[in-house]
Amino acid sequence: MFLWAMFRQYFSSILGDRLGVHAMKLVSIFYPYIEITFFEYTGQRLKRSEAYAAVESYLSASSCSKHARRLKADSDRSGSGSGSGSTLILAMDDHEEVIDSFSGAKLYWSSQIAPSKSHAISFYPSSPDRRFYRLSFHRRHRDLVAESYLRHVLDEGKAIGLKNRVRRLYTNNTSYDSYDFRKLGWSHVNFEHPATFETIAMDPEKKRDIVDDLIAFSRGKEFYSRVGKPWKRGYLLYGPPGTGKSTMIAAMANLLDYDVYDLELTAVKNNSSLRKLLLEISGKAIIVLEDIDCSLDLSGKRKKEKEKSEEEEKKIGSEENTESKVTLSGLLNFIDGLWSACGGERLVVFTTNFVEKLDPALIRRGRMDRHIELSYCDFEGFKVLARNYLGINEHTLFEKIQRLLEERNITPADVAENLMPKKVTEVAGSVEVCLTNLIQALMESKLNSAKGEEEMLEATVAKVVEEKESAAPST
């Protein structure tokens, strides 16, 4: 070692590198082990390697990690999304080695760090150093490792990762910086919404049909491959405000154990940026565009834009135009164009309060495969809410409430607000009060509605009279 250091100091680096290569060839003749390296970040995509993540999950859960002397612990939540508390995830510490066995072969895993050789700014998020796992095995097991063992590790690691993963709620970042990749793409928080289909106020038959359709989609990989379609499905949720569209999305995510990507179109710079966001979306995901009729001007039925005034043109010329330039064509390609096939097992969900405002091309069958209307609360939905909020399945006031619900429209959100006890610790004593409050709200809603209908009728009559007077010939 002393002589090699002196040699490298006084002789050229090129000669030293050549001698190093020949030295490695000489050592390989007597060294019978082969090494495979899995880096945490590879290539130019600046994205964490899926193979590295699978190896990390496999080693954390396999029996070989029980023999590791040095472990690192990280606090994490279970993937149930129910807020059930934190657990400790144990993984191999840096510079630790464990031994695994497979079909009679011994395999050596070690966790290493490759220090950066440059003082330049690193593009890797965690640190300038690059972490990696190294697999070492005897050369006689090469075929076994290449053909069976690596596939076993990746499959097991991915399955363990999906089982233990934390479901997340993503949103696209609003700032764009070509020098800092961390400001691009998606940011996230843990998804812990408690909504389920059991707690949704909806007709039971309609609810069961939606659940069956979602489960069939999640199990339909082979079917979609056989018919030649990307593994995705579109849902259009429409109805008045307060009818549970966002709650329905949360229930879908909890049923299928999917991540949620809440896409804010007004924050997307152009169609190219929209495609980049699409490429960063993982599988097992729900892509949500809420209030699609308000996100962009997508409701104009492809009419030509009106000419702008000279003052507006001057203003646009003098100021930077920061509005989104995503077009209807770009959004359609995002949903079911060629780029939409980059990835699988995705749901695309649109929500809107005014479905008639949307361009027909945006919601046709094939793009939005299921159109689900979430309407006002009926008696079946009320019983679900009464069971959720008050813990009751029947009451003497139910008959009166059923009659009022048939006569008057009220949203599930309004019903839930009236059923909310003032003291959640004293629900039993609040049942009569809450049901009475709901009856009063229904009666007031009926009265206000009748007054509104009367005013609307008077306005219509006045408009007809005015039109007749204007159409009459002047004397």
Side-chain angles (χ1 to χ4, degrees):
M1 292 175 62
F2 173 75
L3 293 175
W4 179 254
M6 296 295 295
F7 177 83
R8 291 294 300 268
Q9 182 176 358
Y10 291 103
F11 291 88
S12 66
S13 60
I14 298 177
L15 179 59
D17 291 339
R18 289 181 177 177
L19 289 176
V21 171
H22 292 295
M24 289 301 297
K25 289 181 179 180
L26 181 62
V27 170
S28 65
I29 297 175
F30 303 98
Y31 186 72
Y33 288 91
I34 297 175
E35 297 179 347
I36 301 177
T37 303
F38 299 84
F39 277 98
E40 185 176 11
Y41 293 92
T42 58
Q44 302 298 321
R45 297 187 61 186
L46 304 177
K47 185 178 179 181
R48 198 167 190 253
S49 169
E50 294 182 1
Y52 179 91
V55 170
E56 185 177 46
S57 299
Y58 174 79
L59 294 178
S60 299
S62 64
S63 59
C64 63
S65 63
K66 297 180 181 179
H67 302 289
R69 295 179 177 272
R70 290 175 297 178
L71 299 170
K72 55 184 178 182
D74 187 18
S75 178
D76 211 342
R77 286 190 179 273
S78 63
S80 61
S82 58
S84 56
S86 299
T87 58
L88 284 177
I89 305 298
L90 299 179
M92 288 172 51
D93 199 2
D94 299 329
H95 308 293
E96 180 67 0
E97 183 178 85
V98 295
I99 302 175
D100 193 14
S101 60
F102 182 80
S103 298
K106 279 191 175 183
L107 306 113
Y108 303 87
W109 286 99
S110 61
S111 175
Q112 303 289 340
I113 295 181
S116 176
K117 296 180 180 179
S118 173
H119 297 287
I121 297 176
S122 173
F123 288 99
Y124 296 93
S126 55
S127 69
D129 300 329
R130 300 179 64 186
R131 283 183 165 81
F132 63 91
Y133 286 107
R134 176 174 290 160
L135 170 63
S136 303
F137 55 92
H138 198 281
R139 65 178 61 165
R140 65 173 174 266
H141 301 308
R142 179 167 186 161
D143 292 338
L144 175 67
V145 171
E147 297 175 3
S148 302
Y149 180 69
L150 289 180
R151 176 52 54 191
H152 165 74
V153 170
L154 295 179
D155 291 343
E156 288 291 322
K158 288 179 181 179
I160 295 169
L162 288 174
K163 181 180 178 181
N164 297 330
R165 74 189 180 104
V166 179
R167 282 187 294 114
R168 291 168 174 170
L169 172 62
Y170 292 83
T171 184
N172 51 306
N173 296 325
T174 57
S175 59
Y176 294 88
D177 191 340
S178 58
Y179 298 101
D180 190 351
F181 74 95
R182 287 171 292 184
K183 293 184 179 180
L184 301 174
W186 303 90
S187 57
H188 66 267
V189 296
N190 289 350
F191 181 79
E192 298 179 349
H193 200 293
T196 63
F197 277 94
E198 287 76 13
T199 60
I200 290 181
M202 179 186 264
D203 178 75
E205 291 295 329
K206 188 175 182 180
K207 189 189 303 186
R208 191 176 302 110
D209 179 59
I210 296 172
V211 170
D212 291 343
D213 186 75
L214 289 169
I215 294 176
F217 166 79
S218 65
R219 299 174 179 173
K221 181 178 182 179
E222 294 181 0
F223 170 79
Y224 280 88
S225 177
R226 177 164 53 84
V227 300
K229 290 184 61 178
W231 191 12
K232 63 181 184 59
R233 190 160 177 79
Y235 283 81
L236 174 66
L237 308 181
Y238 65 96
T243 52
K245 294 182 286 295
S246 298
T247 305
M248 171 69 74
I249 296 170
M252 289 179 174
N254 287 329
L255 174 69
L256 300 177
D257 197 21
Y258 283 7
D259 293 325
V260 179
Y261 288 78
D262 185 12
L263 178 60
E264 179 58 53
L265 279 180
T266 55
V268 182
K269 197 171 185 181
N270 48 42
N271 293 338
S272 177
S273 298
L274 186 63
R275 287 194 295 270
K276 291 178 182 178
L277 288 173
L278 176 64
L279 293 177
E280 294 298 321
I281 297 176
S282 63
K284 292 185 175 293
I286 300 178
I287 306 171
V288 180
L289 287 86
E290 291 199 274
D291 297 322
I292 185 66
D293 54 298
C294 302
S295 296
L296 292 174
D297 186 14
L298 304 172
S299 58
K301 319 298 185 190
R302 298 187 178 91
K303 293 180 179 178
K304 292 183 178 180
E305 296 182 357
K306 295 182 180 179
E307 295 183 358
K308 298 179 180 179
S309 62
E310 294 182 0
E311 295 181 359
E312 291 177 337
E313 290 179 354
K314 290 179 181 179
K315 183 178 180 181
I316 292 175
S318 59
E319 298 179 1
E320 183 181 359
N321 186 9
T322 59
E323 293 183 357
S324 174
K325 295 181 181 179
V326 175
T327 63
L328 177 60
S329 175
L331 183 59
L332 296 181
N333 289 329
F334 175 84
I335 299 170
D336 68 346
L338 293 175
W339 288 93
S340 67
C342 300
E345 199 169 359
R346 296 172 179 171
L347 295 177
V348 181
V349 181
F350 287 174
T351 70
T352 180
N353 297 331
F354 307 100
V355 67
E356 65 278 359
K357 290 186 177 181
L358 298 179
D359 193 300
L362 188 64
I363 59 175
R364 68 164 176 81
R365 304 292 179 174
R367 290 195 174 106
M368 294 292 105
D369 303 284
R370 289 291 303 268
H371 293 193
I372 301 174
E373 181 181 8
L374 300 177
S375 189
Y376 296 102
C377 187
D378 57 9
F379 185 62
E380 293 296 329
F382 158 74
K383 288 196 295 185
V384 174
L385 294 174
R387 184 169 60 252
N388 294 342
Y389 284 84
L390 303 177
I392 58 175
N393 293 315
E394 58 182 16
H395 195 275
T396 55
L397 294 176
F398 274 21
E399 184 177 352
K400 186 174 183 179
I401 292 174
Q402 182 179 7
R403 186 171 62 253
L404 288 172
L405 286 172
E406 292 173 354
E407 297 173 355
R408 188 65 259 135
N409 292 333
I410 186 171
T411 64
D414 291 330
V415 173
E417 183 61 29
N418 284 281
L419 294 180
M420 176 71 73
K422 292 185 178 180
K423 295 183 179 180
V424 295
T425 57
E426 301 177 3
V427 176
S430 305
V431 172
E432 195 83 20
V433 176
C434 292
L435 293 178
T436 304
N437 290 340
L438 177 60
I439 291 173
Q440 184 178 355
L442 285 167
M443 295 180 68
E444 291 177 356
S445 175
K446 180 180 179 181
L447 188 64
N448 294 335
S449 177
K451 185 183 295 185
E453 291 176 359
E454 184 178 352
E455 292 176 355
M456 186 181 299
L457 180 60
E458 291 178 356
T460 304
V461 171
K463 184 177 181 180
V464 171
V465 171
E466 184 179 353
E467 289 177 353
K468 287 184 178 181
E469 291 178 354
S470 62
S474 57
T475 56

